[in-house]
Amino acid sequence: MSKAAKLKAKLLSGQKIKPSPSYPVLIAYSAEDEGFVARVPALKYCTAFGETYEEAAREIEVAMRLWLESAKANRVPIPPSGPTIAELTGVASPPAR
């Protein structure tokens, strides 16, 4: 199992993992993608998708950790962390079919 898969499994199981820097997270419903897109503006290209808001929130946590690990391994400057926020734009849930 890859390191990313192990981390994702740990996150989804609810196991505690060591804290990481926090960054503002934006989560919005995308009608085009028919799901929720999460992004971290401070971390270039750090995005995630989920069919539900909660899934997108879990996936962006994994994406942030992997982004930070990759940046550290490749000696890419890591932006300073800030307060964590979640912002929902658009509709709160997908439209009824």
Side-chain angles (χ1 to χ4, degrees):
M1 181 182 285
S2 72
K3 188 172 185 180
K6 287 179 185 176
L7 178 59
K8 185 175 181 179
K10 191 180 257 191
L11 285 170
L12 294 176
S13 73
Q15 289 182 13
K16 297 290 183 193
I17 50 181
K18 64 182 179 179
S20 67
S22 59
Y23 294 91
V25 174
L26 303 175
I27 302 175
Y29 182 76
S30 168
E32 179 180 347
D33 298 316
E34 297 182 352
F36 291 84
V37 178
R39 66 186 182 92
V40 182
L43 307 178
K44 192 172 184 178
Y45 306 120
C46 186
T47 62
F49 174 83
E51 290 183 5
T52 65
Y53 182 93
E54 293 79 10
E55 183 182 4
R58 285 191 308 267
E59 292 295 325
I60 198 64
E61 178 69 23
V62 173
M64 284 191 296
R65 289 183 189 280
L66 295 174
W67 192 102
L68 293 166
E69 283 181 16
S70 176
K72 185 176 180 181
N74 292 293
R75 298 184 181 169
V76 172
I78 297 175
S81 61
T84 301
I85 61 168
E87 178 181 312
L88 179 64
T89 58
V91 297
S93 60
R97 293 183 188 222

